[in-house]
Amino acid sequence: MLGTMTDSDSTSFERAADAAARLCQAYFTGLILTLVSQRSTAVAAEFVEAFFRRKQREQFLPGLEKLGLTGLPDAVACAHYHYLSNHLGGVGVEFMPESDTKAWIRYPPPRWAWTGTAICGIPTEVSRGMLRGWHARNGISLGNPRLGFVCTKQTVDGVPGLEGYYIDHGVELEPQDRLQFAPHEEAPPFDPAQAPQVPTGDWPAVRLAKAHRNYGMDYVKTALQVLAEQRGDDEARFLGGRTGRLIGMQLVEEMRGPLGIEACDVGAAAGLLAALCEAMGDEAEVRAVDGGVTVETAGWRLTRGVALAPGAVAAWNEVWVGLALATNRFLELEVERWPAESGGWSWRLSDRSAETR
């Protein structure tokens, strides 16, 4: 257990949790690109707004309470929340309070959501979906219809960071005025010494690694929910599955390295799958069977508390298919047991290379 971990155990877990977090991050980014390329900018923007609207509705007010921010002025509390919650999730963010009624936040490059070269494929309107879904709605959630968000910069427009400020305008805002744009304005400098700090004693390395992992996993869970709700089960299966297989294949080396997996046979693929499941908080068992290997999990932590549509579940499974295929193109991964709301997975991996000779 956590309290009995050796330094070596802790380091190994941190590497595995980081790999799992990276996989989830890449899946979310890839899904947005799939929506843009396979459907349209409008469809992707609608998805991003709905995604962040759900997260805001579920997490914002409880998060303020948990982080002890409920006694702060509204504008400061909102910016403070974004700083701390994103910091704990491993996302770069800056916080510059200007007054009780105005507080800045800034997400410097590299952007977490549009990781790596993916940012080149994110249209401005899609990036704005996050602000419409979350930042523009905080005032209403707080019962303060005067509070809005002013966006001054967006990284996808070629400037160094997404930035803006929460401000109490002093008058009740119409819905269309809760999010405004002022690209001529610029955020003040960030002073790390003045930023709120997370007590390191409360957040040792292993706990912080779990927080980073959970942040990415929650993105995937919410994305799969919203995708199925907006696009239907068949579209979730196709769009989410296409994304999953590509991400699994593309990231296989990023997963294998931190987990110390070098071989490219059935056993290695099973070990990779089991290790990532363990890194995501699920106990996994690998067993040799006639003609292959099975991997079984005791549960599915990713969907704890929700029941995903069948197409969304199948979409995420394609991540594992992609990892297996990139490990060895002759491998086959079949689902022997699909997870129910509180159940786990069972996969069978086999090698069909002999059939091709």
Side-chain angles (χ1 to χ4, degrees), residues 78-349:
C78 288
H80 202 142
Y81 170 86
H82 287 292
Y83 179 81
L84 284 179
S85 63
N86 282 285
H87 178 79
L88 291 174
V91 179
V93 65
E94 299 172 353
F95 165 61
M96 295 81 77
E98 192 170 313
S99 69
D100 283 352
T101 59
K102 183 179 179 181
W104 290 80
I105 55 170
R106 179 173 177 270
Y107 303 88
R111 292 296 313 283
W112 183 92
W114 320 135
T115 178
T117 58
I119 196 169
C120 299
I122 302 298
T124 294
E125 191 59 24
V126 172
S127 181
R128 288 184 177 188
M130 178 186 75
L131 304 176
R132 290 197 175 94
W134 190 308
H135 298 63
R137 297 179 183 270
N138 280 359
I140 297 303
S141 295
L142 291 169
N144 182 355
R146 305 178 306 277
L147 186 71
F149 186 79
V150 179
C151 176
T152 59
K153 302 286 187 294
Q154 285 201 114
T155 317
V156 295
D157 295 331
V159 294
L162 185 153
E163 64 180 46
Y165 54 86
Y166 284 99
I167 184 169
D168 189 321
H169 291 269
V171 296
E172 185 169 335
L173 300 173
E174 296 295 329
Q176 68 272 16
D177 296 327
R178 294 170 190 159
L179 175 63
Q180 300 178 24
F181 296 90
H184 59 284
E185 297 188 51
E186 187 168 5
F190 171 58
D191 182 359
Q194 300 301 315
Q197 300 295 315
V198 177
T200 55
D202 294 339
W203 289 89
V206 170
R207 187 183 180 193
L208 200 56
K210 285 188 174 184
H212 292 176
R213 175 204 68 187
N214 293 345
Y215 187 95
M217 289 174 62
D218 188 69
Y219 263 65
V220 169
K221 178 177 72 174
T222 303
L224 291 172
Q225 285 179 278
V226 174
L227 181 65
E229 291 170 2
Q230 282 201 327
R231 308 299 303 173
D233 201 58
D234 289 344
E235 280 276 88
R237 188 184 303 267
F238 169 68
L239 296 168
R242 175 187 173 89
T243 301
R245 184 173 294 208
L246 290 172
I247 292 300
M249 292 191 296
Q250 193 73 354
L251 265 67
V252 66
E253 291 306 317
E254 287 189 46
M255 301 298 105
R256 287 160 55 88
L259 297 170
I261 296 174
E262 298 179 359
C264 295
D265 56 12
V266 170
L272 176 61
L273 176 53
L276 283 170
C277 288
E278 294 270 2
M280 292 184 179
D282 297 317
E283 294 182 9
E285 181 182 1
V286 179
R287 291 186 293 110
V289 296
D290 289 342
V293 179
T294 64
V295 179
E296 296 183 354
T297 70
W300 193 19
R301 191 180 187 281
L302 180 76
T303 59
R304 188 168 60 186
V306 303
L308 288 182
V313 177
W316 179 248
N317 182 63
E318 287 297 309
V319 173
W320 310 125
V321 174
L323 286 167
L325 288 173
T327 299
N328 184 323
R329 64 190 175 95
F330 293 108
L331 297 184
E332 286 190 343
L333 184 147
E334 299 175 281
V335 179
E336 293 191 322
R337 185 183 70 242
W338 295 88
E341 183 174 353
S342 58
W345 292 87
S346 178
W347 295 276
R348 180 187 179 94
L349 290 104

Side-chain angles (χ1 to χ4, degrees), residues 28 31-32 35 43-51 223 226-227 230:
F28 174 77
L31 181 57
I32 307 305
L35 290 170
V43 167
E46 181 184 18
F47 171 84
V48 170
E49 180 174 348
F51 171 88
V226 174
L227 181 65
Q230 282 201 327

